[in-house]
Amino acid sequence: MRSFVENFPFFSIFLALLAGIVTATIRSGRVTYWITVCVCAAAAVLNAAVLEYTYLGDLNFTYTMGRFLAPYGNAIKCGPFQALLATVFSAVMATSLAGGRRDLFQDVLPEKQRLYFVMVDMLEASLLALTYTNDAFTGYVFIEISTIAACALVMAKDNGPNLIATIRYLFMSLVGSGLFLIGLTVLNSITGYLLMPSLAEAVAELRITGDYRIPLTVSVGLIVAGLGVKSAMFPFHLWLPDAHGGATTASSAILSGLVLKGYIVLLMVLILRVFSVELLAELGVTNVILAFGLLGMILGSIAAMRENHIKRMLAYSSVAQVGYIFMGVGLGSAEGLIASSFHILVHACCKPLLFLCAGRLSAVSGHHKSLRNLRGSAYRDVGAGLGFTVGAMSMIGIPLFGGFVSKLYFANAAVPTGMTAMILLTIALSTVLNALYYVPALLAIWVKPPAEDEAAVLADVHPEELAFDRSFTAAAAVLTLGIFVLGIFYHPITDVIEAGVRLI
Amino acid sequence: MLSDILQNRYAVTAVILFGVGFTNLMLQQNLLRKVIGFNIMDSAIFLLLASLGYIDGGVAPIVGDRGFDPLYINPIPSGLVLTGIVVSVSITAFSLALIQRIYRRYGTIEMRELLERAKKEDD
């Protein structure tokens, strides 16, 4: 008899899909908001229960839909790794919505609000499904669902530049999913499977016999490139700053903190479960990922330094952080993947916090977004100022904050490779660059401008905006706490990730 | 060489079509042409998938009591094509709606002009 907990991953996906349908029928934006937040929170609780069950039992399980067994039916596979990520993703989704609440109800037209939440529910479902799926083609379907939902979140704030950013995002995503799909087709043509365990067996056999080496390389390359485009791997990141920088606060937080990660998680699962790290190293794919990751770390930060628009600066910083994650994947070892997974968690707490605080700081400065106009804004909402400071410190990598630990793990993972010096130098350089744009941003928000400048900015501010924002403060507090937990009590978390990678 | 191409004619056609669609999607400036490029790209993939499962002289995969003579056509690629078509239709509908929205606001669907206009609005 199976334990009842094993149903929870499926329940959480199904709950999110169901919430999407229900919210579409309800008129009131407020009600749909609460439904969505509750569903995300419930998914977090359900997945936390799965995490406890799988980690304490040191096990993983495969859950088949309906009564169709492996070769016919669809399956999800769950271990501590997936459960941990799903828990964090759902919790961050709920807090991002809560934190961006005021902006959201201002930016989105009242009659469109319920549709916005339909898209958030779909995004939650697809993120969970991408994390849990055991079938490569289901992965593809949910990639497309999350593409449409993510584009809709960008265009929810209905102004011209956002429409253009959305169409660019959509077309880049289409390129990505096209590459992924043809990669999958090629893989299917040489192995005959799409279910991950059968694929893994077939690929392992191909690796030993050496047959179909070229199609295999092409397929792996296409899959990596496709998912890379979607998650803004360095040379394919040009769509990101406009899309993430222009959207409403909650959308930016969700897109930057979570949606990019969904694709990377799928890539990691494919690497670990299907291709194996050794095969990727043999084919030379890891070196390419490593190179793109390192370039992204540097060039993303340089682009962020040149940006004055605070949200676009944060968006470019996401490019750099995705570079870190891909660098970890490109190290071609289990340690690298563990470091990357940890960084996914850190960034999933950190970037939403920064976006929420930036949104709040700009709200108390008359919705201006350039750093010049945000001077001294931290004093108008101290909570947002402190949250932004914590997020920035973690991004730079100060000890006790989450970002430091992931840099430590990256550095550790880099030691056994042949390119230790280069990787460590790049990490150091990227840290300096991070400091070079986060410190000026911190100075800007904490240093008071001349009185007449401040008066000019305050003239644009709606008096309601200055009122204490309860849901924002609560969300920022939760995310700040998350960063400190990841920075101080990181051992249990890395243990979970290690167990998860072993049991994947 | 020629016989190789003939043997793999579906795959070769699919790769050519994919290239045509991909370059259109990447290089065209007109948004509608980009959408058409995407559709060509997806059709190429569907052609490849459908040809993979096809067996000469095979029959529809309905399980009965006559065993494997004649052989069944592999149903999985066909199923994938159906799913893929649904996905591609919904993405096409979404992007067409978006393009219409953009045209109403800006009066043009040329990417280059749009980017310039957006930059001006941003300043």
Side-chain angles (χ1 to χ4, degrees):
Chain A
M1 185 63 197
R2 285 167 163 271
S3 160
F4 187 66
V5 179
E6 297 195 3
N7 291 309
F8 285 179
F10 169 70
F11 282 173
S12 56
I13 298 173
F14 188 72
L15 201 64
L17 286 172
L18 197 68
I21 298 168
V22 172
T23 42
T25 61
I26 294 173
R27 263 173 198 291
S28 156
R30 304 267 156 193
V31 176
T32 51
Y33 164 81
W34 280 113
I35 292 178
T36 309
V37 170
C38 290
V39 163
C40 292
V45 173
L46 287 178
N47 286 305
V50 179
L51 175 61
E52 193 203 358
Y53 169 72
T54 49
Y55 180 62
L56 293 184
D58 199 37
L59 53 85
N60 62 8
F61 59 86
T62 309
Y63 179 89
T64 45
M65 312 279 171
R67 287 171 198 280
F68 299 104
L69 288 175
Y72 305 108
N74 202 334
I76 52 188
K77 192 171 179 190
C78 175
F81 178 74
Q82 284 89 350
L84 177 67
L85 287 169
T87 310
V88 174
F89 285 173
S90 309
V92 172
M93 182 82 89
T95 32
S96 301
L97 283 175
R101 182 180 177 195
R102 205 181 268 184
D103 270 0
L104 206 156
F105 283 107
Q106 273 173 13
D107 288 339
V108 184
L109 296 172
E111 67 272 20
K112 299 275 169 67
Q113 280 162 4
R114 64 193 169 111
L115 299 176
Y116 181 90
F117 291 111
V118 173
M119 290 303 157
V120 176
D121 288 327
M122 288 298 149
L123 209 52
E124 163 79 6
S126 57
L127 270 175
L128 292 176
L130 283 177
T131 319
Y132 279 126
T133 183
N134 198 21
D135 176 294
F137 200 77
T138 310
Y140 166 71
V141 174
F142 279 98
I143 283 177
E144 295 289 18
I145 294 177
S146 83
T147 300
I148 296 186
C151 286
L153 289 199
V154 175
M155 67 178 286
K157 185 176 172 183
D158 193 10
N159 60 14
N162 265 355
L163 286 178
I164 297 171
T166 312
I167 199 99
R168 286 181 76 192
Y169 182 19
L170 183 65
F171 284 139
M172 271 324 266
S173 292
L174 292 183
V175 172
S177 43
L179 292 175
F180 180 78
L181 182 57
I182 198 148
L184 217 55
T185 313
V186 172
L187 192 62
N188 178 256
S189 76
I190 52 177
T191 60
Y193 299 106
L194 285 167
L195 215 58
M196 289 186 197
S198 330
L199 263 179
E201 274 171 35
V203 169
E205 204 168 299
L206 286 179
R207 189 181 159 214
I208 295 167
T209 59
D211 290 337
Y212 298 118
R213 210 10 97 94
I214 296 171
L216 188 61
T217 317
V218 169
S219 129
V220 174
L222 287 169
I223 289 175
V224 170
L227 291 171
V229 171
K230 297 234 160 204
S231 50
M233 192 201 238
F234 160 67
F236 317 114
H237 68 282
L238 289 171
W239 54 268
L240 184 136
D242 284 329
H244 291 192
T248 181
T249 307
S251 299
S252 307
I254 292 172
L255 292 172
S256 239
L258 305 178
V259 176
L260 296 177
K261 310 295 158 38
Y263 309 125
I264 303 179
V265 171
L266 180 65
L267 180 64
M268 282 177 161
V269 171
L270 280 174
I271 289 176
L272 282 166
R273 206 182 277 164
V274 176
F275 299 123
S276 82
V277 184
E278 294 81 21
L279 176 71
L280 248 67
E282 261 174 51
L283 298 178
V285 177
T286 44
N287 287 335
V288 179
I289 301 180
L290 180 67
F292 283 164
L294 292 173
L295 282 171
M297 282 159 64
I298 301 296
L299 295 169
S301 296
I302 290 178
M305 275 167 66
R306 305 207 317 223
E307 201 53 67
N308 260 323
H309 184 289
I310 188 164
K311 288 179 78 175
R312 289 167 56 98
M313 183 191 95
L314 294 177
Y316 271 118
S317 144
S318 284
V319 176
Q321 301 302 316
V322 166
Y324 274 93
I325 298 173
F326 273 115
M327 176 196 72
V329 175
L331 289 175
S333 60
E335 290 76 33
L337 284 165
I338 291 167
S340 289
S341 318
F342 191 80
H343 197 65
I344 286 180
L345 298 181
V346 171
H347 192 241
C349 287
C350 209
K351 197 42 70 76
L353 176 66
L354 283 167
F355 265 117
L356 294 181
C357 294
R360 179 71 188 137
L361 290 174
S362 98
V364 293
S365 312
H367 289 282
H368 287 294
K369 302 225 164 52
S370 69
L371 285 175
R372 221 178 69 80
N373 285 326
L374 289 177
R375 281 180 298 174
S377 56
Y379 295 102
R380 292 192 283 272
D381 188 327
V382 178
L386 287 175
F388 194 88
T389 314
V390 170
M393 297 282 195
S394 166
M395 282 286 169
I396 297 169
I398 310 275
L400 292 187
F401 295 90
F404 171 74
V405 180
S406 58
K407 279 183 188 169
L408 198 66
Y409 272 80
F410 277 126
N412 259 336
V415 171
T417 59
M419 293 164 285
T420 319
M422 186 181 75
I423 294 167
L424 291 184
L425 276 176
T426 315
I427 294 179
L429 180 61
S430 154
T431 305
V432 173
L433 289 173
N434 277 345
L436 274 177
Y437 60 88
Y438 276 116
V439 172
L442 286 178
L443 287 177
I445 62 168
W446 285 108
V447 174
K448 281 216 179 233
E452 60 266 34
D453 285 4
E454 191 168 18
V457 169
L458 278 175
D460 296 339
V461 184
H462 225 267
E464 288 166 17
E465 296 285 6
L466 290 172
F468 182 68
D469 189 342
R470 209 170 12 160
S471 70
F472 160 76
T473 314
V478 170
L479 290 171
T480 310
L481 189 72
I483 290 176
F484 280 117
V485 168
L486 285 169
I488 299 168
F489 306 106
Y490 55 88
H491 246 294
I493 298 164
T494 48
D495 282 349
V496 174
I497 296 176
E498 263 166 30
V501 167
R502 185 163 41 82
L503 290 168
I504 203 153
Chain B
M1 179 68 195
L2 194 66
S3 67
D4 276 357
I5 293 178
L6 271 178
Q7 226 170 27
N8 296 314
R9 56 194 181 280
Y10 293 113
V12 172
T13 321
V15 168
I16 293 172
L17 271 179
F18 187 86
V20 170
F22 189 74
T23 36
N24 268 298
L25 178 56
M26 294 299 279
L27 302 179
Q28 287 285 0
Q29 288 300 316
N30 187 306
L31 294 179
L32 272 179
R33 293 188 186 185
K34 274 181 187 278
V35 174
I36 292 169
F38 158 72
N39 273 297
I40 295 175
M41 196 170 92
D42 264 10
S43 309
I45 301 171
F46 300 150
L47 174 67
L48 185 61
L49 268 174
S51 69
L52 284 178
Y54 186 71
I55 297 169
D56 261 335
V59 293
I62 301 166
V63 178
D65 47 5
R66 58 184 173 70
F68 283 97
D69 187 40
L71 281 173
Y72 299 118
I73 287 169
N74 183 359
I76 292 176
S78 322
L80 299 188
V81 173
L82 282 181
T83 321
I85 287 174
V86 173
V87 169
S88 125
V89 165
S90 34
I91 297 249
T92 308
F94 182 71
S95 46
L96 289 179
L98 196 59
I99 290 171
Q100 197 189 26
R101 193 73 163 271
I102 289 178
Y103 183 74
R104 283 211 191 122
R105 190 177 290 257
Y106 288 101
T108 173
I109 52 171
E110 293 289 320
M111 200 66 198
R112 210 169 280 139
E113 278 178 50
L114 285 172
L115 286 179
E116 275 168 26
R117 297 273 290 276
K119 214 174 231 171
K120 266 181 214 150
E121 258 181 66
D122 237 10
D123 285 339

